[in-house]
Amino acid sequence: MTGVLERAATSTEPVAGILARVLGNTPTLRVEAFDGSATGPKDAPVTLHVNSPRALGRLVSAPGTLGLARAYVTSEIDVDGDLHTALAAMAEVTLHSIPRREQLKLVRQLLPYWREHRMPPPDLEARPKGFLHSRRRDSQAISHHYDVSNTFYEYVLGPSMTYTCAAYPDADASLETAQAAKYEMVCTKLALEPGMKLLDVGCGWGGMVRHAAREHGVKALGVTLSKEQAAWAQAAIEREGLADLAEVRHLDYRDVPDGVYDAVSSIGLTEHIGKANIPGYFRSMYAKLRPGGRMLNHCITQPYKPDHRHTDPFIHRYVFPDGELETIGSLVSEMNEAGFEVRHEENLREHYALTLRDWGTNLEKHWDDAVAEVGIGRARVWRLYMAACRLGFDLDNIQLHQVLGVKLHDDKSSGFPLRGAHGAY
């Protein structure tokens, strides 16, 4: 009997118990630690494996999501089962979300692990240099994320090479169908017609540019700060026989000369430019439009006014360095102040959760090839990032908004139909 009790005591060693204080008790999550301790039901759909005491050291040095992410990226923590399910079970995981007294108790318990097993942050973390949102620093930040590998992005994004929220006709629609539907939605809102001139800022791999040229006969120019994206996009334009209508340049949106464009699309750029630059950004887009021209701004937003605008520490260090999210109200106000009449707005956050679901599925399908292309650490960054962001959209922690504005004619006419913002309903 004594031996049974001793073994039982060994099976509940402090490591899993300590983590249970942070993670909470949930029937969907089991924790198994390197010291043999465990918590949670054996039949839980997800098991969190703490493989090394270094993981606990990371939780002390960077409490909350960043410490957990560092441990996951370095394989010091692993997950059996669906990562999205695991994160949903740990949705409130952060030492900062528990009472101060309990937080200090946890730190005291973990401090010996930090002293003995402290490690520098993984070298995959971004460290852009220079003034925040200067041209040089923005170029570094964009390169960190987008110049990873075009081949890797092909594995994740699929044939459309579109790295923005899709628009799903229904939840079972394919990713390619949904991305094409998104581009067509934007084209409809912009009222594109053959012969029009479109400027697409932050164009990525040129999906919008190619769709507008191919499906609507529009003469489209796309600009991106990523050299890898620009090279891939221009090659795709040539390959698809669209060179007489479409072009993508490696260029800062601030360096696009003012001209007379009929429409501007901005799909996933606003998150990168910073709050201080947003007024100038909208003014510059306004200056590039003819009277009656329209702008569609599509971006991730905060659902409420945040205490700080930087993204989650893990996202900030590993995925979108220097990214800043605004509320939809502030973006609408800035568009209005820049001169646009705002005609339509909608939230597509559920669609982004579905998009991330499908990107995650693509990554798992091509996992071995993805690891061979970019390494296990970066592949794990992406696996974690997509699962975490999907959960963020599920829980309304982040949103995705499209805002449509028009540069009025001198007589203040808009050119819009009487019914609906863009004649679609």
Side-chain angles (χ1 to χ4, degrees), residues 399-415:
Q399 300 176 348
L400 188 289
H401 285 265
Q402 287 189 350
V403 184
L404 179 65
V406 62
K407 182 175 183 176
L408 296 175
H409 291 275
D410 290 341
D411 64 359
K412 304 305 179 183
S413 61
S414 68

Side-chain angles (χ1 to χ4, degrees), residues 361-406:
T361 298
N362 283 347
L363 178 58
E364 296 306 322
K365 179 179 177 181
H366 298 285
W367 181 253
D368 291 342
D369 290 332
V371 170
E373 180 68 19
V374 299
I376 184 65
R378 194 174 295 278
R380 288 171 75 91
V381 165
W382 277 81
R383 177 190 266 167
L384 179 60
Y385 148 63
M386 289 188 293
C389 284
R390 177 184 170 191
L391 183 64
F393 286 106
D394 284 340
L395 298 179
D396 195 31
N397 291 332
I398 43 178
Q399 300 176 348
L400 188 289
H401 285 265
Q402 287 189 350
V403 184
L404 179 65
V406 62

Side-chain angles (χ1 to χ4, degrees), residues 68-258:
L68 284 167
R70 285 172 170 170
Y72 180 78
V73 168
T74 54
S75 301
E76 295 157 5
I77 284 179
D78 215 336
V79 174
D80 277 347
D82 179 62
L83 187 55
H84 177 261
T85 301
L87 294 176
M90 301 186 295
E92 300 302 323
V93 176
T94 167
L95 287 176
H96 299 300
S97 69
I98 62 177
R100 179 70 173 171
R101 180 180 297 177
E102 187 68 16
Q103 182 185 137
L104 292 174
K105 181 178 179 180
L106 287 167
V107 169
R108 282 195 299 270
Q109 288 180 294
L110 295 175
L111 203 55
Y113 293 100
W114 176 77
R115 288 176 179 145
E116 186 174 353
H117 302 286
R118 56 182 132 182
M119 297 284 291
D123 59 10
L124 292 170
E125 293 189 11
R127 302 288 182 181
K129 297 179 174 60
F131 293 109
L132 183 63
H133 294 302
S134 64
R135 293 168 189 258
R136 177 172 175 267
R137 180 160 171 155
D138 278 354
S139 181
Q140 294 174 50
I142 292 297
S143 180
H144 171 84
H145 187 71
Y146 294 102
D147 290 341
V148 172
S149 159
N150 284 333
T151 300
F152 175 75
Y153 277 107
E154 288 173 0
Y155 294 144
V156 175
L157 304 180
S160 75
M161 282 295 276
T162 298
Y163 188 35
T164 49
C165 176
Y168 286 75
D170 57 74
D172 295 326
S174 71
L175 177 61
E176 293 306 303
T177 296
Q179 290 294 10
K182 184 268 301 296
Y183 286 133
E184 191 57 28
M185 175 191 293
V186 174
C187 290
T188 299
K189 289 180 178 181
L190 292 175
L192 296 183
E193 296 179 359
M196 281 186 170
K197 292 178 63 178
L198 169 70
L199 173 64
D200 186 39
V201 289
C203 69
W205 287 272
M208 177 65 190
V209 166
R210 289 180 285 123
H211 183 95
R214 182 178 59 250
E215 303 298 330
H216 295 271
V218 170
K219 191 168 182 62
L221 170 64
V223 298
T224 173
L225 265 180
S226 166
K227 290 181 180 179
E228 293 282 341
Q229 286 182 334
W232 192 99
Q234 195 58 39
I237 287 169
E238 299 285 345
R239 188 168 58 247
E240 295 176 22
L242 298 172
D244 58 332
L245 289 175
E247 179 186 3
V248 168
R249 299 178 189 172
H250 176 229
L251 193 67
D252 192 301
Y253 77 91
R254 289 165 286 201
D255 294 329
V256 176
D258 290 347

